[in-house]
Amino acid sequence: MMPPLSALNTDILILGAGGAGLFAALHAKKTAPDLDVTIAVKGLLGKCGCTRMVQGGYNVALAAGDSIERHFMDTVEGGKWLNDQDLAWMLVTGAQVRIRELENELGCFFDRNPDGTVHQKAFAGQTFDRTVHKGDLTGIEIINRLMEQVWRRDVRRLEDHRALDLIQASDGAGLAGVLMLDIRTGEPLLVRARAVLLATGGGPTMYKYHTPSGDKSCDGLAMALRAGLPLRDMEMVQFHPTGLLAGPGTRMTGTVLEEGLRGSGGFLLDASRERFMFAYDERGERATRDIVSRSIMYRIREGHATPNGGVYIRMAHLGPAEVRRQFKGMVERCADCGFDLAGGDVEVVPTAHYMMGGVVFDTQCRTPMPRLYAAGEDTGGVHGANRLGGNGVANSTVFGAIAGDRMAGAVTNEPGTLPDCDARAIDAALDRAYGPIGRAPGDIFAMREELLELMWDQVGILRSGAQLQNATSRLDGLAGAVAACGIPDGDRRFNLTWMDRLNLENLIAVSRAICAAALKRDDSRGAHFREDFPQTSALDHSTYTVVRSTESGLHVEMQPVHFTRVRPGESLLRGAAE
Ligand SMILES: Cc1cc2nc3c(=O)[nH]c(=O)nc-3n(C[C@H](O)[C@H](O)[C@H](O)COP(=O)(O)OP(=O)(O)OC[C@H]3O[C@@H](n4cnc5c(N)ncnc54)[C@H](O)[C@@H]3O)c2cc1C
């Protein structure tokens, strides 16, 4: 039986409380203090999502000798020329403003040089040391300060509330609200709003080894697909080369050991304790994430895997005391799992880390659906085929702030009544969430394990057309199995089996989009590698994938990249100080 539906009206509804969501709330309130702003989050504000987990730091061109042009070129070259260059430009210019706001207005304190300037460290794939950090646990500093500032303001918080579906207006002219589920009571809540921000943070948790927080299950991307929105670059899933291999049955397996370990001179060794990276790339361990991840997979496939199926990382040659000083967080994380990072070898494996793909949006954070905005890891186009380490949190804070400003401006400039919600869309969303309750249950855990193994084996770091075809039909089968699977009708409060089922449904929907885009892209670029198409096609004629869900299934098309600022082979640095 469907539960009664409560309703709430607000001016601005923000979905997600990571760097993007919290910045959006602060900026919306700054731009228009009288607006009613609501932030809804699947967990507790400031305690969930990936911004809190940021280790390495925040990319921004601050130091003498660096420049926004250099940061831009690194971002576009790292993205293998698939980036939307206007978005990438917004990222590098906006980062300079946001980092000052973080320190001078919001109270963050980043590590400093002896002369008092902000310390910036090296990250792979960059031509300048520009990563601002707080030790190796930068995200906690950023998110704690953002959380405190949001608490201080008059922002309504809906914690333990998960967004279920976007609800369009009854006249079909854009978004009218979002159907939420109050996880604490199990009751639905319809939130009507004049503007909604999608900032649920993507997160490729459909892979056997993954780094993002457990609350992330691509909900925003799945909701966007169901609403018919276009998603770009979905085949571009970034694998971080060094996820901890702590053994099966622990959530610590897959958690990331940060890039700075390789950047500062760490070695990767195979089962025979041989360094192998130079066999694959002249930069050795300092090659970019995609190359290091692929090289590790080749090494494993060639029969040189460690007992748990990975390789080793070694830091001891840099001096255990120095490693402990520089990488306190990583050393302690390993020690918690019984490993000695400072003095011994630790098993690691590539781990799914970040989705470059996401909802198509513009420099004002508008999506193709009126009144729906998007920011952070839910969006596509900023990073192209690969994200530079350090550009992720810059992305969420830069675009979160823009979204807050623009939504507040739009709502203020267009006062009027709240749009009416489409009643059939509400019923469909309620039915999707509540319909399975009371039907014959199935083994959700086994289905989730099957998805994780399938995505890792067939849609992972090394792909082929045959594997992707096979994965497509197996994903269809899994989607059918989950759709048929019910949930026992019992206590709906904090019902984790129900939440797992909803998560799984979303993960499968987004996995299908990844698979469809990966099949369509018949070249190799950045994070996407096809063993049957190992070459990168002509950069000058670059195209990107756009996936939509239609009544006849997923539809993928290729769109040309517009090189609005610089073409492949050119550089903005020519003539400037290189
Ligand atoms: C271990 C780790 C280390 C990283 N290190 C770095 C680094 O050093 N530098 C860097 O630049 N980037 C790093 N990243 C990437 C970076 O964390 C992300 O790019 C960025 O923080 C994403 O911000 P966001 O606001 O988009 O999403 P998040 O911070 O993940 O926030 C998403 C929010 O949405 C909420 N949510 C999810 N689903 C729903 C739903 N259905 N309803 C309501 N709320 C929902 C979540 O609970 C959360 O509050 C790292 C990521 C990980 C996992």
Side-chain angles (χ1 to χ4, degrees):
M1 202 180 65
M2 290 298 167
L5 181 61
S6 313
L8 172 76
N9 294 342
T10 187
D11 290 317
I12 293 176
L13 171 63
I14 294 164
L15 303 177
L22 293 177
F23 250 101
L26 292 176
H27 272 250
K29 272 291 180 191
K30 194 172 173 181
T31 304
D34 293 336
L35 287 182
D36 186 276
V37 175
T38 303
I39 188 160
V41 48
K42 205 172 174 182
L44 296 179
L45 192 116
K47 302 294 180 194
C48 54
C50 289
T51 305
R52 192 174 178 85
M53 300 169 81
V54 164
Q55 300 174 347
Y58 190 120
N59 285 348
V60 51
L62 289 179
D66 200 4
S67 65
I68 47 174
E69 288 81 7
R70 187 180 283 279
H71 187 184
F72 175 82
M73 288 309 301
D74 284 350
T75 300
V76 169
E77 278 171 3
K80 307 294 176 220
W81 296 89
L82 277 198
N83 320 56
D84 176 311
Q85 295 192 358
D86 293 337
L87 291 174
W89 186 255
M90 209 65 154
L91 171 80
V92 299
T93 50
Q96 292 187 323
V97 183
R98 287 291 82 77
I99 204 78
R100 294 195 167 91
E101 184 179 347
L102 277 164
E103 273 219 328
N104 301 335
E105 290 181 41
L106 302 175
C108 288
F109 195 76
F110 299 114
D111 286 7
R112 304 193 102 74
N113 297 309
D115 67 359
T117 53
V118 174
H119 182 258
Q120 295 184 272
K121 66 179 173 186
F123 248 26
Q126 304 200 56
T127 59
F128 203 91
D129 296 353
R130 66 167 69 92
T131 306
V132 171
H133 63 110
K134 171 88 174 177
D136 59 358
L137 295 174
T138 310
I140 292 179
E141 178 71 3
I142 292 177
I143 215 78
N144 282 356
R145 302 294 84 79
L146 286 173
M147 175 183 77
E148 291 158 3
Q149 295 294 336
V150 170
W151 276 348
R152 286 184 60 209
R153 287 164 178 76
D154 177 24
V155 173
R156 183 184 299 104
R157 303 197 305 267
L158 297 176
E159 293 177 294
D160 289 322
H161 275 67
R162 75 176 287 158
L164 291 170
D165 266 310
L166 303 173
I167 305 296
Q168 299 194 40
S170 52
D171 62 4
L175 193 67
V178 177
L179 184 70
M180 311 285 313
L181 167 59
D182 181 347
I183 298 170
R184 296 175 185 183
T185 63
E187 302 290 329
L189 172 70
L190 178 67
V191 184
R192 293 169 68 206
R194 290 174 212 281
V196 174
L197 177 66
L198 198 63
T200 67
T205 54
M206 66 285 278
Y207 287 90
K208 176 175 167 183
Y209 301 113
H210 60 252
T211 67
S213 54
D215 52 322
K216 299 226 291 194
S217 48
C218 296
D219 296 349
L221 298 175
M223 289 190 286
L225 273 173
R226 284 195 289 273
L229 284 156
L231 270 52
R232 65 172 284 176
D233 299 327
M234 287 303 289
E235 72 279 23
M236 300 301 176
V237 179
Q238 181 172 75
F239 290 81
H240 195 293
T242 51
L244 183 62
L245 254 184
T250 162
R251 292 295 291 263
M252 291 308 288
T253 284
T255 56
V256 82
L257 296 184
E258 73 132 311
E259 186 134 315
L261 296 171
R262 286 183 293 116
S264 67
F267 292 162
L268 290 174
L269 312 170
D270 63 18
S272 335
R273 306 292 210 257
E274 294 283 331
R275 269 181 93 186
F276 57 88
M277 269 310 302
F278 285 100
Y280 301 98
D281 193 285
E282 60 188 15
R283 291 166 292 182
E285 284 86 352
R286 292 192 189 190
T288 48
R289 289 179 178 178
D290 51 332
I291 292 173
V292 180
S293 294
R294 267 203 308 280
S295 307
I296 293 174
M297 294 311 286
Y298 287 136
R299 204 63 176 177
I300 292 171
R301 206 158 71 176
E302 286 156 13
H304 302 285
T306 55
N308 282 305
V311 296
Y312 294 110
I313 189 163
R314 177 180 292 172
M315 303 299 296
H317 54 282
L318 303 176
E322 180 57 18
V323 176
R324 260 182 229 108
R325 190 191 67 77
Q326 266 194 58
F327 300 102
K328 184 168 177 290
M330 296 303 102
V331 170
E332 286 173 2
R333 167 169 295 183
C334 289
D336 286 345
C337 301
F339 307 120
D340 177 11
L341 179 65
D345 297 342
V346 176
E347 275 183 274
V348 291
V349 72
T351 178
H353 189 46
Y354 188 90
M355 297 169 76
M356 276 68 76
V359 176
V360 171
F361 80 132
D362 68 9
T363 53
Q364 307 301 302
C365 295
R366 291 173 299 208
T367 73
M369 182 181 286
R371 292 187 287 275
L372 179 67
Y373 295 73
E377 204 179 326
D378 272 343
T379 62
V382 179
H383 308 295
N386 218 346
R387 173 182 71 94
L388 296 179
N391 269 0
V393 63
N395 176 40
S396 60
T397 55
V398 165
F399 289 100
I402 294 173
D405 291 337
R406 295 299 173 271
M407 288 191 298
V411 169
T412 310
N413 292 334
E414 293 168 24
T417 53
L418 281 163
D420 285 327
C421 292
D422 178 354
R424 282 167 310 165
I426 299 172
D427 287 346
L430 281 171
D431 188 53
R432 201 181 60 73
Y434 287 85
I437 297 176
R439 292 208 314 255
D443 190 344
I444 291 287
F445 183 73
M447 291 177 206
R448 180 173 176 272
E449 289 303 298
E450 188 180 339
L451 174 70
L452 266 57
E453 293 285 347
L454 171 64
M455 290 300 286
W456 180 255
D457 289 340
Q458 314 269 299
V459 198
I461 295 167
L462 304 171
R463 301 167 172 174
S464 74
Q467 285 178 323
L468 293 168
Q469 292 283 7
N470 177 36
T472 304
S473 56
R474 284 186 58 194
L475 283 169
D476 288 349
L478 258 178
V482 174
C485 169
I487 297 292
D489 193 1
D491 194 340
R492 294 182 185 177
R493 294 172 300 172
F494 286 109
N495 186 324
L496 296 186
T497 309
W498 187 20
M499 294 309 115
D500 280 347
R501 189 193 178 286
L502 289 166
N503 290 344
L504 188 56
E505 206 171 34
N506 287 343
L507 285 174
I508 293 173
V510 176
S511 298
R512 291 167 99 179
I514 293 173
C515 203
L519 252 179
K520 187 80 174 178
R521 175 170 287 290
D522 50 11
D523 78 336
S524 291
R525 244 187 226 238
H528 170 74
F529 189 80
R530 289 272 301 256
E531 293 196 273
D532 46 352
F533 294 102
Q535 304 302 326
T536 301
S537 56
L539 295 180
D540 247 343
H541 299 98
S542 294
T543 52
Y544 62 91
T545 58
V546 178
V547 189
R548 274 173 214 269
S549 180
T550 66
E551 280 181 7
S552 58
L554 284 177
H555 179 71
V556 191
E557 60 182 10
M558 305 300 296
Q559 298 267 356
V561 175
H562 299 294
F563 303 111
T564 52
R565 288 171 188 270
V566 59
R567 296 193 67 78
E570 299 173 353
S571 172
L572 292 188
L573 296 179
R574 293 218 177 97
E578 288 193 48

